[in-house]
């Protein structure tokens, strides 16, 4: 439910039809209430895709392989450790652990992995993931409740459930893009449960599938309503669909449209403190988002899922920081968000 002084969908659509510069200035003003003007925070991370074997069949994904495909893989613990070691050596502090809906990997596989990671890295490296849709799959595949799965992963050392797997939170788009990735209600109920159990969570949206601004607003409304209720989302990240080699195909949206969507997100999600810019998909145009309402960014050293769909990763940390400085913004390194 909309709270007092929160932007309505009508007001948002009026803003979108108006002068983009007015929208940018309003979003930037709002962003500066959370984070000082002329600065932006960042951390260095990598996304480790622990397996590419997946039965979800998302039409926008160029990464997955069906079971028994000779190109299917499951990373060993040693391979994951090597990636984490390299991340730490590069000054990273966050490792996202994502994978497919692998029909043979049950809850004990993930428990063993997270116990081992905590034992090796302690708190030097924060483990970010799997996403709630993956945990729902793991729970059902293991014939246990979602609550039990989340509790067991917590015991193993997991503290964060990232917002990936949301794409566009309307049931129509979920049917279109990934019908096996659960309904809007299942996604939101799962996130709320994770928040209640103490997990830190983040929110996301992916745009560029052909959805309308009304669809995007519906997505933001779902997130804002849950945030009004729980306050559990620490940040929101918006990125763009990469169409290369996917079954869905299509084309990339312009960076101008991305920037407008960032501004819209900053204004609509007034109850989520941090809006993050996606350099992973926007490349050297990403820093512009830091003057359109975003105040934070990740430097991502690896993400196979977006790379295989056409994203070009820049893993030279200093080069990325220079993009930001070139936009007149001082980057400030941060630790992963805390849980309190
Ligand atoms: S996006 Fe994730 S869940 Fe969907 S097909 Fe790709 S690997 Fe599977």
């Amino acid at each position: 439910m909309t709270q007092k002084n929160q932007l309505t969908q009508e007001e948002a659509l009026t803003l979108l039809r108006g002068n983009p510069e007015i929208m940018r200035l309003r979003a930037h003003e709002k962003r500066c209430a959370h984070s000082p003007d002329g600065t932006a925070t960042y951390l260095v991370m990598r996304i480790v895709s622990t397996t590419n074997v997946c039965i979800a069949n998302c039409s926008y994904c160029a990464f997955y392989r069906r079971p028994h495909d000779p190109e299917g893989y499951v990373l060993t613990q040693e391979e994951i450790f090597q990636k984490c070691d390299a991340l730490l050596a590069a000054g990273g502090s966050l490792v996202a652990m994502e994978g497919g809906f692998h029909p043979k990997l049950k809850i004990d596989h993930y428990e063993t992995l997270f116990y081992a990671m905590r034992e090796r890295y302690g708190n030097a490296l924060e483990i970010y993931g799997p996403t709630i849709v993956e945990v729902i799959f793991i729970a059902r595949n293991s014939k246990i409740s979602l609550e039990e799965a989340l509790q067991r992963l917590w015991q193993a050392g997991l503290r964060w459930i990232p917002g990936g797997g949301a794409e566009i939170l309307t049931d129509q788009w979920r049917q279109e893009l990934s019908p096996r990735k659960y309904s809007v209600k299942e996604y939101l109920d799962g996130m709320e449960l994770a928040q209640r159990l103490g997990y830190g969570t983040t929110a996301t949206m992916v745009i560029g599938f052909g959805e309308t601004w009304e669809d995007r607003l519906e997505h933001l409304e779902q997130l804002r309503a849950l945030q009004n209720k729980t306050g559990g989302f620490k940040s929101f990240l918006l990125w763009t669909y990469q169409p290369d080699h996917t079954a869905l195909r299509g084309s990339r949206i312009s960076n101008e449209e991305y920037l407008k969507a960032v501004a819209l997100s900053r204004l609509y999600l007034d109850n989520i403190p941090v809006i993050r810019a996606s350099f992973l998909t926007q490349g050297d145009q990403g820093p512009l988002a830091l003057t359109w309402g975003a105040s934070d960014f990740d430097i991502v050293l690896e993400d196979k899922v977006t790379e295989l769909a056409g994203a070009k990763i820049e893993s030279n940390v200093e080069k990325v920081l220079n993009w930001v400085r070139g936009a007149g913004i001082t980057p400030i390194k941060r630790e992963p968000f805390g849980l309190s």
Side-chain angles (χ1 to χ4, degrees), residues 82-100:
Q82 280 172 15
K83 287 174 180 286
C84 292
D85 291 351
L87 175 63
L88 274 173
S93 56
L94 187 74
V95 59
M97 304 293 291
E98 296 185 359

Side-chain angles (χ1 to χ4, degrees), residues 59-119:
S59 62
Y60 60 86
C61 178
F63 165 73
Y64 75 91
R65 295 291 180 268
R66 298 284 301 167
H68 310 300
D69 187 306
E71 291 181 359
Y73 73 78
V74 179
L75 292 183
T76 63
Q77 244 179 47
E78 207 38 57
E79 287 169 326
I80 292 170
F81 287 165
Q82 280 172 15
K83 287 174 180 286
C84 292
D85 291 351
L87 175 63
L88 274 173
S93 56
L94 187 74
V95 59
M97 304 293 291
E98 296 185 359
F101 289 14
H102 192 309
K104 291 220 166 117
L105 301 184
K106 308 273 166 66
I107 186 79
D108 55 312
H109 171 86
Y110 296 92
E111 286 176 300
T112 305
L113 175 61
F114 296 143
Y115 272 122
M117 289 179 72
R118 274 290 171 216
E119 188 172 270

Side-chain angles (χ1 to χ4, degrees), residues 49 51-65 98-102 131 133-134 165 167 177-178 180-181 305:
S49 295
T51 177
N52 65 348
V53 176
C54 185
I55 57 171
N57 298 351
C58 302
S59 62
Y60 60 86
C61 178
F63 165 73
Y64 75 91
R65 295 291 180 268
E98 296 185 359
F101 289 14
H102 192 309
T131 63
V133 290
E134 289 170 89
E167 283 78 56
L177 300 172
S178 42
R180 302 194 67 181
K181 238 169 164 180
V305 177

